Amino acid sequence: MSFFDQIQTRSESINSLLCVGLDPHQKELPADQWSASEESRCEAAYQFCKRIIDATAEHTVCYKPNAAFFEALGTKLGNVTLRRVIDAIPNDIPVLLDVKRGDIGSTAAAYAEACYEEKDGLNAGGVTLSPLMGWDSVSPFITGKYADKGAFVLCKTSNPGSNDILALNLQQQTVFEKIAGLANEWSSSAASDSPTSSTTPRLGLVVGATDPSALSKARKAAGSKLWILAPGVGAQGGDLDAACRAGLNDEGTGMLIPVSRGISRATDPAAEAMKLKEGINAARKAVLDERGEKRDQPGDSIAPYQKEFLEFSLKEGVLKFGSFVLKSGRTSPYFFNAGLFSSGSALHKLGKAYAAAIMSSKDLVDKDGKVTFDVVFGPAYKGISLGALVCSALYSDFGVETGFAYNRKEAKDHGEGGILVGSSMANKRVLVVDDVITAGTAIRESHTLLQKIEATPVGVAIALDRAEKRSLEDPLSAVQAVARDLEIPVVSIVALPQLQEYLKLSSEYDEDVLKLVTEYRSQYGV
């Protein structure tokens, strides 16, 4: 059975995605044993790892000993101790040796022998590799007599400095997206060079859980079959739910969450491992349920980001249910005041919701997943902060880099002068961002301004579309009228149909609230 077949089988048999790291660094071992002698610290390291193995075996898919910590134990017994630890791992649990090798030719072949050989090597089932020297540095570990072995290649690691190289933009993609795609190609090359009975890819990816946007892109570039090792949950601050949402494949698998210190430093490692496994499984279930809801809901369906937006809008008091007399004279059962998004956490969530709505729009994202605009424009005054939030969230959540610009109400007669601030919009495609469209005056004025400077308005993004007729004699809403007159799409985070659907699904509001919103939509909705 190949390494990744073992991973798959083990994961299914114990219903887990947990990978336990074995890292006996100096701080983890008793000070007196570390300083006494090489023999003493090596024995302490072995006992440290053996304790973790015995406590966590029923919960872990695989163990990941880090070779560096064993090498640091001493030149005479360091690797001997590593082999002792690997031998102590039950035979049905795969061993992923974390060595991050990256060389070519006879050197790479020697590294592979040292990692894999049962008699004179370490007898690992898989390794971690640096792929930056290309296929030549990978092939010795997954072809020939090692065709049943496997490797996770470093793709987008969890450290901030990984952006220095791995996030660099190539012509159509980042370096890490290129690596993710190559891992698929190299797995196919390995299968051609050294055929086996297994059809499972021989390579996986290391992508940090600390960067859900990169994780999502890597998954998309690699496809659903490759396994992803996603370090960073726990001590490094990675968000488990966000990581699972970004990295799991369609079956809710294909991802390992490695944890080292969170288990080794726990008072009860067995209980902590079980807790972690159950937490990961809860996140898996939530992701699959979320995806199922998105696929299955017809008509006025509500996407997860829309549901989250409505929930925090209600929590912040931005959205309220009751009886409100609008400027139009209508009595509305709900009221929305975006000015009450007035805390750091609320503004952060607001930006993420705008970004999600934009990236979910077929009008603002092309078939290749690229946005159709170059600059985000926030018209004064409300649009200024909104535009900045959107620009930031597009980059942090989706890796989309755009310019940002806004206008002043009054021209500045000193300094740089003029009414426009920020990125140049001349001969650029521009997305206008605002909170709502009531009469459409601000959007029309922005459209005129942009055309005067030879920019091309390509769309409008707003928070809420009330989706109601301007008058009983006019069948169009203000949003529809703007889209028709300016010939550009208007995308909203939510509209009246999603608000109605939210009330149908929510247990927090009684039938009277839903009834009032339904009747209002029936009377005034478009």
Side-chain angles (χ1 to χ4, degrees):
M1 186 183 293
S2 75
F3 174 73
F4 281 107
D5 283 334
Q6 292 178 55
I7 294 286
Q8 182 72 41
T9 301
R10 175 73 181 171
S11 175
E12 292 173 355
S13 68
I14 65 169
N15 188 30
S16 177
L17 296 179
L18 176 65
C19 167
V20 174
L22 301 173
D23 301 345
H25 48 75
Q26 183 176 355
K27 291 181 180 179
E28 299 281 9
L29 306 179
D32 58 338
Q33 287 183 278
W34 180 272
S35 59
S37 66
E38 182 178 344
E39 288 81 1
S40 175
R41 60 176 170 266
C42 284
E43 183 60 26
Y46 173 77
Q47 294 299 333
F48 166 84
C49 294
K50 186 68 166 58
R51 169 176 169 265
I52 294 171
I53 294 166
D54 291 343
T56 62
E58 65 181 292
H59 306 298
T60 185
V61 175
C62 72
Y63 286 103
K64 185 176 72 67
N66 189 315
F69 295 114
F70 292 90
E71 291 169 5
L73 294 171
T75 56
K76 185 170 69 171
L77 296 175
N79 275 339
V80 172
T81 305
L82 175 53
R83 178 60 192 260
R84 283 184 70 198
V85 168
I86 291 174
D87 287 345
I89 294 171
N91 291 333
D92 60 336
I93 303 179
V95 177
L96 172 62
L97 184 58
D98 193 358
V99 288
K100 300 181 180 68
R101 301 302 189 206
D103 214 317
I104 59 173
S106 58
T107 306
Y111 279 140
E113 286 184 17
C115 293
Y116 293 150
E117 284 300 312
E118 183 176 358
K119 182 179 179 182
D120 297 318
L122 293 169
N123 198 28
V127 294
T128 56
L129 300 174
S130 171
L132 294 184
M133 292 182 75
W135 169 240
D136 296 342
S137 65
V138 173
S139 61
F141 291 87
I142 56 171
T143 59
K145 63 180 179 178
Y146 302 131
D148 278 331
K149 301 295 186 178
F152 283 93
V153 298
L154 304 181
C155 180
K156 178 63 170 68
T157 51
S158 57
N159 59 304
S162 68
N163 288 325
D164 295 346
I165 295 175
L166 297 175
L168 291 175
N169 278 307
L170 306 176
Q171 290 183 337
Q172 300 292 329
Q173 58 190 343
T174 59
V175 171
F176 74 81
E177 288 173 288
K178 178 67 174 178
I179 291 172
L182 283 173
N184 250 328
E185 295 178 22
W186 291 344
S187 285
S188 298
S189 297
S192 298
D193 291 350
S194 306
T196 67
S197 59
S198 174
T199 59
T200 306
R202 299 181 195 180
L203 293 175
L205 303 172
V206 180
V207 185
T210 51
D211 190 344
S213 174
L215 194 49
S216 177
K217 290 180 179 179
R219 169 58 72 196
K220 183 177 179 181
S224 62
K225 292 184 178 181
L226 264 66
W227 279 80
I228 293 176
L229 184 72
V233 170
Q236 294 183 56
D239 184 316
L240 176 60
D241 292 333
C244 287
R245 192 177 297 115
L248 290 174
N249 62 20
D250 293 340
E251 288 74 42
T253 63
M255 187 173 170
L256 292 175
I257 307 295
V259 179
S260 300
R261 283 171 287 177
I263 291 173
S264 67
R265 296 180 181 177
T267 304
D268 186 342
E272 185 63 23
M274 179 183 288
K275 179 182 175 183
L276 286 163
K277 180 178 78 171
E278 291 175 349
I280 295 167
N281 284 341
R284 293 168 73 187
K285 184 179 184 303
V287 169
L288 291 174
D289 289 348
E290 189 177 277
R291 291 174 181 174
E293 286 179 14
K294 191 171 182 179
R295 283 193 301 267
D296 297 339
Q297 291 178 357
D300 297 338
S301 63
I302 180 168
Y305 74 85
Q306 295 174 317
K307 180 174 180 289
E308 184 178 343
F309 173 75
L310 289 170
E311 286 174 345
F312 84 77
S313 295
L314 288 162
K315 180 181 179 182
E316 295 291 329
V318 173
L319 175 62
K320 295 179 180 179
F321 295 114
S323 181
F324 306 93
V325 178
L326 305 180
K327 190 176 181 180
S328 62
R330 297 172 184 171
T331 300
S332 171
Y334 71 96
F335 189 71
F336 183 84
N337 179 7
L340 294 178
F341 286 122
S342 54
S343 68
S345 60
L347 291 170
H348 173 69
K349 291 178 182 178
L350 178 60
K352 290 173 71 70
Y354 267 106
I358 289 166
M359 297 305 293
S360 298
S361 169
K362 293 180 180 179
D363 292 313
L364 299 178
V365 178
D366 64 24
K367 63 181 181 180
D368 296 320
K370 306 294 185 182
V371 295
T372 60
F373 53 92
D374 307 301
V375 180
V376 173
F377 175 67
Y381 288 106
K382 283 185 181 179
I384 298 176
S385 59
L386 294 176
L389 289 172
V390 170
C391 204
S392 175
L394 283 171
Y395 180 75
S396 63
D397 288 7
F398 298 96
V400 173
E401 180 77 279
T402 67
F404 167 59
Y406 62 91
N407 67 311
R408 301 187 180 95
K409 289 284 189 180
E410 304 84 17
K412 190 175 180 182
D413 59 4
H414 59 283
E416 75 276 16
I419 63 169
L420 295 177
V421 183
S423 181
S424 170
M425 294 184 286
N427 301 310
K428 299 284 183 64
R429 301 167 300 171
V430 179
L431 174 68
V432 181
V433 177
D434 214 335
D435 58 345
V436 296
I437 293 178
T438 305
T441 304
I443 299 300
R444 294 174 197 275
E445 289 175 351
S446 296
H447 190 271
T448 300
L449 182 153
L450 293 172
Q451 287 189 319
K452 284 183 178 178
I453 62 170
E454 297 185 351
T456 303
V458 296
V460 178
I462 59 174
L464 174 71
D465 177 4
R466 291 188 63 92
E468 59 185 75
K469 304 167 187 174
R470 291 185 291 180
S471 69
L472 295 180
E473 295 75 32
D474 189 343
L476 293 181
S477 69
V479 167
Q480 290 174 329
V482 165
R484 178 199 62 190
D485 297 344
L486 303 183
E487 298 182 342
I488 55 175
V490 179
V491 172
S492 62
I493 301 173
V494 293
L496 179 55
Q498 281 75 48
L499 177 57
Q500 184 180 354
E501 188 68 13
Y502 174 78
L503 290 171
K504 288 180 184 177
L505 299 172
S506 176
S507 60
E508 295 186 27
Y509 299 92
D510 58 36
E511 288 294 321
D512 290 340
V513 176
L514 174 60
K515 181 181 177 182
L516 289 170
V517 171
T518 301
E519 290 175 349
Y520 188 82
R521 182 184 178 191
S522 177
Q523 183 176 5
Y524 297 114
V526 292

